[in-house]
Amino acid sequence: MSPDHDRFLLTHHRKLDRWLQLGGHADGEPEVHRVALREATEESGMYGFELLHGPSPLMPLDLDVHRIPPHGDDPEHLHYDVRFLLRARFGEEPRGAGDEAHDVRWFSIDELEVVAPEASILRMGHKARAVLGRRGVV
């Protein structure tokens, strides 16, 4: 989330050709909240993200399980997104996409419904807004 809680930061995934939340593989890191912080920094070029959520910031905001189609040597498989709510630091703007993305940019809640209309992304947006005490989407 943006510091004012009005925008969501999404990345345009190169392989999937879709706007998604920032994130990546845990690669053996047992503390998945650290993965969320690391990937947000790597994919946006921004620093100082803050974990936000309910009674404990270490509690995931959302869990999404979905199928990933075969790609190259990778067979079809289930993918688990453990999603955390992060807030960016005031004055920071994305500095470019990482190797796995075409772009990274802020979107308002209304734009989110257009650029990333998948149910799981809208659910995540709704949960984020609810946690922050704002009216959700859907």
Side-chain angles (χ1 to χ4, degrees), residues 74-136:
D74 295 331
E76 180 180 71
H77 61 280
L78 291 178
H79 188 86
Y80 299 83
D81 284 345
V82 181
R83 298 168 169 169
F84 290 87
L85 181 57
L86 307 179
R87 178 172 50 204
R89 185 168 43 185
F90 279 100
E92 288 237 68
E93 289 298 324
R95 294 185 184 96
D99 294 340
E100 298 175 359
H102 293 290
D103 196 5
V104 60
R105 126 174 39 143
W106 293 108
F107 292 98
S108 70
I109 194 71
D110 294 332
E111 292 170 317
L112 184 66
E113 294 176 353
V114 174
V115 300
E118 294 86 5
S120 83
I121 300 291
L122 295 178
R123 182 184 70 236
M124 181 179 58
H126 175 73
K127 286 181 176 183
R129 300 296 272 193
V131 164
L132 297 170
R134 300 275 183 103
R135 190 169 149 239

Side-chain angles (χ1 to χ4, degrees), residues 2-127:
S2 61
D4 60 7
H5 303 163
D6 285 339
R7 298 174 295 157
F8 294 90
L9 190 62
L10 298 179
T11 184
H12 192 265
H13 195 277
R14 192 175 299 277
K15 281 185 187 177
L16 300 177
D17 193 29
R18 293 177 23 209
W19 288 99
L20 301 171
Q21 76 279 355
L22 303 175
H25 295 100
D27 295 327
E29 169 63 61
E31 297 182 19
V32 291
H33 69 282
R34 293 188 190 282
V35 175
L37 291 166
R38 179 191 74 221
E39 293 291 333
T41 297
E42 286 178 6
E43 293 187 359
S44 70
M46 297 166 55
Y47 296 90
F49 285 99
E50 176 186 2
L51 283 162
L52 302 175
H53 185 232
S56 167
L58 301 184
M59 177 182 276
L61 174 71
D62 187 54
L63 177 64
D64 188 65
V65 181
H66 53 274
R67 292 198 179 283
I68 299 293
H71 187 272
D73 292 336
D74 295 331
E76 180 180 71
H77 61 280
L78 291 178
H79 188 86
Y80 299 83
D81 284 345
V82 181
R83 298 168 169 169
F84 290 87
L85 181 57
L86 307 179
R87 178 172 50 204
R89 185 168 43 185
F90 279 100
E92 288 237 68
E93 289 298 324
R95 294 185 184 96
D99 294 340
E100 298 175 359
H102 293 290
D103 196 5
V104 60
R105 126 174 39 143
W106 293 108
F107 292 98
S108 70
I109 194 71
D110 294 332
E111 292 170 317
L112 184 66
E113 294 176 353
V114 174
V115 300
E118 294 86 5
S120 83
I121 300 291
L122 295 178
R123 182 184 70 236
M124 181 179 58
H126 175 73
K127 286 181 176 183

